[in-house]
Amino acid sequence: MLAEKTIAKEVLKEAFTKMCTAKSMTELYEDNFKVVSKYVHATSRGHEAIQLATAMQLLPQDYAFPYYRDDAMLLGIGMRPYDLMLQLLAKKEDPFSGGRTYYSHPSLRDIDKPKIPHQSSATGMQAIPATGVALGMQYKELLDITDNDSGKDGQSKVPLVVCSLGDASVTEGEIAEAFQMAALKQLPILYLVQDNGWDISANEAETRAQSAFDYAKGFHGLEAMTIDGANFTESYLAVEEAIRIIREERRPVLLHAKVPLLNHHTSGVRMEWYRDDLEEARSRDPYPVLRQQLLNSGVSEKEITTIEKDTKKLVAKDLEEAVKAEDPTTEDLFTHDFAPTPITEEKGERSPEGKEEVVMVDCALFAVEELMRKHKECLLYGQDVGGRLGGVFREAATLAEKFGDERVFNTPIQEAFIVGSTVGMSAVGLKPIVEVQFADYIWPGLNQLFTEVSRSCYLSNGKWPVSMILRVPIGAYGSGGPYHSSSVESVITNIRGLKIAYPSNGADLKGLMKAAYYDPNPVVILEHKGLYWSKVKGTEAARTIEPSEDYVLPFGKAKVVQQIWQHEEAETLSVITYGMGVHWALQATKEMKGKVEIVDLRTLYPLDEATVMESVKKTKKCLVVTEEPSNNSFARALAGKIQEECFKYLDAPVMTIGSENMPAIPLNSTLEQTMIPSAAKVKAKIELLLNY
């Protein structure tokens, strides 16, 4: 049926003009290799037909996730060659990243073009954030949350998402997670798979058991089509039908387009080094096919020749101007690591009169409930948080009953999707609160946390901060064994671009949760499960009066939970700690009145260095307490920083205490207690240091 349709001459002419432009850019880059190869780049040569066929049918309210070979797609949505060349040369006015990331790694928030959130170079990682956008669109439609920035064209048409992928990326496990959720939830997304038969030097016969088209058939509810992506007319009509299905029926489609790769994998990996199919690939060049289609539509040879000449002149002129453009300054390095937060000071009633103490897990539950009641944009999802259970720690109990399955729902066992989908949710204006069940299971989500979540604000030059909260139950408690007891803060604090909280009590947890919600940046909240109910001996102080609904506690503000005066003669010490360490320190120093100051960091990033250093300079000795094994840890790094800043004030080396440096926490309770710190162990270390 598609073959019977025709395409308007004006569409063919626009497509040919843009294909000429993309082809001319590739040729110009080769002719000026020494100029443009300072930074690695790839081009769309051979892929132009399917990319233009897709881009030309998108609307400003749509979202697109191009990948690194999609410069023709970017031309198709209205970008100029000059815009792309500014990124090619990493110039200051690069509209995507300000010179921070590679060519054809776009991020765009123009009102007249499809929205393009940031995505990384990591192969296939964009599929989960893109699917998160589609999930967010569906949620907003269900709750009738409207946008104010849909753009002036196609106002009556509902939005969709296009996720562009190379066929090699479909072997990634995270692609399966994206396809699974799109099929399960019936999301409005087009997965456009451009299949050129190659990874880098490995070809499809070596690396793929089946094509993306065949693979997609295993996901019931994901419709799959396969086409010749080098034929513009066939591509345009197939995309038109896929888009019709998605806009009208709100379900996912995968379009598998076979295309030739006519240029190098990247400028740094030349095709002649490994390709044995170049002649065959050149025989499938989409350029002469579209040229002939244009002639058949009635456009004259003279007009076509004029288009070819004019595009060559345009790209040559644009490259000349781009080379002259200003480079970033050294000061530009230090912008947009985070978006500004409105929460800069503590506000509200921390301990309202007439209220009783509650356990820490309830403070978290009440905080989320208040946020969801106040903000339709707030939603909660993860494994087992839905109505039947409300979280394995009951930290989401009753929320699904109160707010419905659309706002509080279970996901499959997909940590990568749970984490990475927040990029898309945030991009459409939602505020997701998500959970992984235990810190031990965060590892599958680290790809997304590192490549997509943490770097989005910085690499989009401030356009796309990711506003999300990731809750992580952490720490050893009650013989949880090697897969339910780990501490992971050293890994998380080494991911720049995240804010990280590790509260020691219920009031702090609620105040930080509220601050995190209103912060436009990604936040990880590490919640020690041994403190949730204060069942561990010596953790009664984790129970607090529940703060008022308007209580917020800004990040980067430590608290001196046990303060002492400065002594000129007596030996004194500062304990710097967080989470469970606060309670070990409080128990350890009950009989050391006036000797030990305890600083609760509350947040690990931003870190309140001023309070830490002030305390250590006063006491002149310092012990950093952590539950992690101390080798190569956040605590050891902090101890080094304290030593560096306070060296001339110190009367002893800065010391740390943490778990034993063994690979895992054993299940047996005796072995567990031998492994982790305790009040007694902390007390012995304090006494050693006081007597140093």
Side-chain angles (χ1 to χ4, degrees):
M1 187 172 81
L2 294 179
E4 298 173 2
K5 293 185 178 180
T6 58
I7 298 177
K9 180 168 66 175
E10 292 73 20
V11 173
L12 291 173
K13 189 174 178 181
E14 179 186 354
F16 183 72
T17 301
K18 290 179 177 177
M19 188 180 289
C20 282
T21 304
K23 178 174 178 287
S24 297
M25 288 165 63
T26 300
E27 293 167 350
L28 186 65
Y29 296 166
E30 286 298 300
D31 293 342
N32 293 271
F33 185 75
K34 290 185 178 179
V35 175
V36 302
S37 64
K38 180 177 180 181
Y39 306 109
V40 173
H41 65 275
T43 70
S44 60
R45 191 70 188 93
H47 293 229
E48 303 100 326
I50 183 60
Q51 289 184 20
L52 291 168
T54 303
M56 290 168 59
Q57 299 186 68
L58 297 180
L59 300 171
Q61 59 264 42
D62 295 332
Y63 282 71
F65 286 75
Y67 82 127
Y68 63 84
R69 197 177 299 287
D70 285 356
D71 56 3
M73 186 179 291
L74 296 173
L75 293 172
I77 65 167
M79 302 302 293
R80 301 174 300 156
Y82 178 72
D83 298 324
L84 307 187
M85 291 167 179
L86 289 174
Q87 189 174 51
L88 174 77
L89 300 168
K91 295 295 186 175
K92 181 182 178 73
E93 297 304 320
D94 154 30
F96 305 127
S97 73
R100 292 175 174 177
T101 196
Y102 299 106
Y103 179 69
S104 200
H105 284 59
S107 57
L108 198 65
R109 210 162 186 168
D110 291 357
I111 194 169
D112 63 337
K113 298 180 183 69
K115 309 302 175 280
I116 305 178
H118 163 264
Q119 59 254 269
S120 72
S121 289
T123 303
M125 295 302 101
Q126 70 270 33
I128 286 178
T131 308
V133 168
L135 185 61
M137 285 179 177
Q138 184 185 74
Y139 170 76
K140 292 175 74 172
E141 289 168 18
L142 286 170
L143 271 73
D144 194 27
I145 302 174
T146 57
D147 284 325
N148 295 318
D149 60 348
S150 294
K152 60 181 182 294
D153 298 323
Q155 288 278 9
S156 62
K157 293 189 177 179
V158 290
L160 56 77
V161 186
V162 171
C163 177
S164 178
L165 298 161
D167 195 58
S169 72
V170 178
T171 59
E172 285 276 6
E174 294 185 26
I175 299 293
E177 293 193 18
F179 288 0
Q180 172 74 23
M181 283 298 287
L184 177 68
K185 298 288 188 178
Q186 290 294 282
L187 302 178
I189 186 167
L190 172 63
Y191 296 107
L192 174 63
V193 181
Q194 300 173 58
D195 181 1
N196 61 35
W198 290 91
D199 292 16
I200 297 180
S201 65
N203 62 34
E204 59 189 333
E206 298 173 77
T207 60
R208 301 198 273 292
Q210 68 279 308
S211 71
F213 171 70
D214 293 320
Y215 182 59
K217 292 178 182 177
F219 295 90
H220 296 173
L222 174 60
E223 181 168 345
M225 307 176 182
T226 186
I227 60 167
D228 176 6
N231 184 312
F232 176 79
T233 297
E234 182 178 342
S235 297
Y236 190 91
L237 294 174
V239 171
E240 185 177 56
E241 174 61 11
I243 285 178
R244 183 200 65 76
I245 291 170
I246 297 167
R247 289 207 201 278
E248 293 180 7
E249 302 176 26
R250 309 310 275 161
R251 59 185 176 90
V253 176
L254 180 140
L255 183 58
H256 171 247
K258 286 290 290 182
V259 293
L261 178 60
L262 300 181
N263 199 39
H264 314 293
H265 170 75
T266 67
S267 56
V269 183
R270 314 289 287 178
M271 57 187 173
E272 57 268 17
W273 296 347
Y274 61 91
R275 294 283 295 278
D276 55 10
D277 66 339
L278 289 173
E279 287 306 313
E280 188 276 334
R282 288 170 185 141
S283 72
R284 295 187 289 124
D285 188 342
Y287 183 79
V289 176
L290 181 55
R291 195 180 195 281
Q292 186 59 50
Q293 289 172 349
L294 198 59
L295 284 168
N296 295 344
S297 74
V299 178
S300 68
E301 176 69 33
K302 181 179 179 182
E303 190 173 356
I304 290 173
T305 302
T306 300
I307 292 171
E308 291 170 328
K309 290 179 179 178
D310 288 348
T311 54
K312 284 187 177 182
K313 289 179 183 177
L314 171 67
V315 299
K317 178 178 176 294
D318 279 4
L319 181 60
E320 183 180 340
E321 292 300 315
V323 169
K324 296 176 186 176
E326 183 183 356
D327 284 317
T329 65
T330 54
E331 291 78 12
D332 292 326
L333 174 68
F334 302 101
T335 60
H336 302 303
D337 51 343
F338 290 100
T341 176
I343 308 300
T344 57
E345 58 185 83
E346 187 173 5
K347 291 182 179 179
E349 286 292 322
R350 181 180 175 89
S351 301
E353 293 183 6
K355 284 196 172 185
E356 295 183 356
E357 288 185 348
V358 297
V359 293
M360 188 169 167
V361 72
D362 283 349
C363 276
L365 173 64
F366 299 152
V368 175
E369 181 176 340
E370 288 169 358
L371 288 167
M372 296 193 77
R373 192 185 307 119
K374 188 173 182 179
H375 303 284
K376 288 172 66 176
E377 297 80 12
C378 179
L379 65 166
L380 174 72
Y381 57 95
Q383 295 164 24
D384 297 304
V385 302
R388 291 188 185 89
L389 186 61
V392 293
F393 299 105
R394 304 293 288 156
E395 73 282 6
T398 73
L399 291 180
E401 296 170 15
K402 292 177 179 177
F403 298 105
D405 294 336
E406 298 85 10
R407 296 186 68 186
V408 182
F409 59 90
N410 294 324
T411 66
I413 303 172
Q414 294 184 343
E415 287 82 6
F417 185 87
I418 291 168
V419 173
S421 61
T422 64
V423 176
M425 288 283 197
S426 174
V428 296
L430 301 175
K431 182 74 179 201
I433 302 174
V434 298
E435 296 187 10
V436 296
Q437 281 190 345
F438 295 91
D440 303 78
Y441 302 140
I442 199 173
W443 310 114
L446 283 189
N447 247 351
Q448 292 290 326
L449 194 62
F450 176 74
T451 63
E452 312 304 318
V453 174
S454 70
R455 296 178 163 196
S456 182
C457 186
Y458 187 69
L459 291 181
S460 69
N461 217 19
K463 292 190 297 296
W464 293 103
V466 177
S467 188
M468 59 85 85
I469 299 172
L470 172 59
R471 297 181 64 187
V472 184
I474 192 170
Y477 164 64
S479 297
Y483 298 104
H484 300 82
S485 307
S486 296
S487 294
V488 300
E489 58 264 31
S490 291
V491 174
I492 305 302
T493 52
N494 268 285
I495 301 177
R496 322 299 178 195
L498 301 175
K499 294 188 177 182
I500 303 158
Y502 200 148
S504 66
N505 61 76
D508 284 354
L509 176 53
K510 184 174 183 182
L512 290 167
M513 184 84 73
K514 290 294 185 74
Y517 184 85
Y518 297 111
D519 196 313
N521 300 289
V523 174
V524 178
I525 302 183
L526 304 174
E527 304 174 19
H528 199 295
K529 57 186 185 289
L531 301 178
Y532 269 157
W533 301 280
S534 293
K535 289 182 179 179
V536 177
K537 184 179 179 180
T539 62
E540 294 79 11
R543 296 173 58 99
T544 63
I545 292 173
E546 183 202 349
S548 62
E549 183 170 349
D550 63 347
Y551 179 67
V552 290
L553 180 61
F555 278 57
K557 302 291 185 183
K559 183 178 183 181
V560 181
V561 296
Q562 182 167 287
Q563 191 167 25
I564 65 172
W565 299 105
Q566 185 166 358
H567 297 273
E568 295 301 328
E569 303 298 330
E571 296 295 317
T572 57
L573 176 144
S574 295
V575 172
I576 311 299
T577 187
Y578 51 92
M580 183 64 82
V582 174
H583 302 278
W584 290 327
L586 287 169
Q587 293 299 307
T589 59
K590 278 185 174 180
E591 299 171 3
M592 299 180 186
K593 189 174 181 180
K595 291 184 178 181
V596 180
E597 184 156 288
I598 301 172
V599 177
D600 180 357
L601 294 176
R602 303 203 284 199
T603 64
L604 308 187
Y605 195 88
L607 185 66
D608 186 355
E609 292 186 12
T611 297
V612 170
M613 303 309 170
E614 182 182 355
S615 177
V616 175
K617 288 175 183 177
K618 176 172 64 176
T619 66
K620 299 181 171 50
K621 292 183 179 179
C622 178
L623 176 65
V624 181
V625 178
T626 180
E627 188 171 317
E628 281 192 298
S630 58
N631 283 2
N632 307 309
S633 65
F634 166 81
R636 190 61 60 83
L638 177 57
K641 178 72 172 177
I642 293 168
Q643 187 107 328
E644 182 181 318
E645 292 287 322
C646 301
F647 181 76
K648 65 182 181 180
Y649 298 91
L650 294 173
D651 290 339
V654 178
M655 295 187 181
T656 61
I657 182 171
S659 291
E660 300 296 333
N661 291 292
M662 303 304 289
I665 298 176
L667 182 63
N668 176 271
S669 58
T670 300
L671 296 177
E672 179 190 63
Q673 292 306 309
T674 305
M675 174 77 175
I676 65 175
S678 65
K681 292 177 185 179
V682 171
K683 182 178 181 180
K685 194 79 170 185
I686 290 172
E687 289 174 341
L688 173 69
L689 193 47
L690 284 172
N691 294 322
Y692 186 88

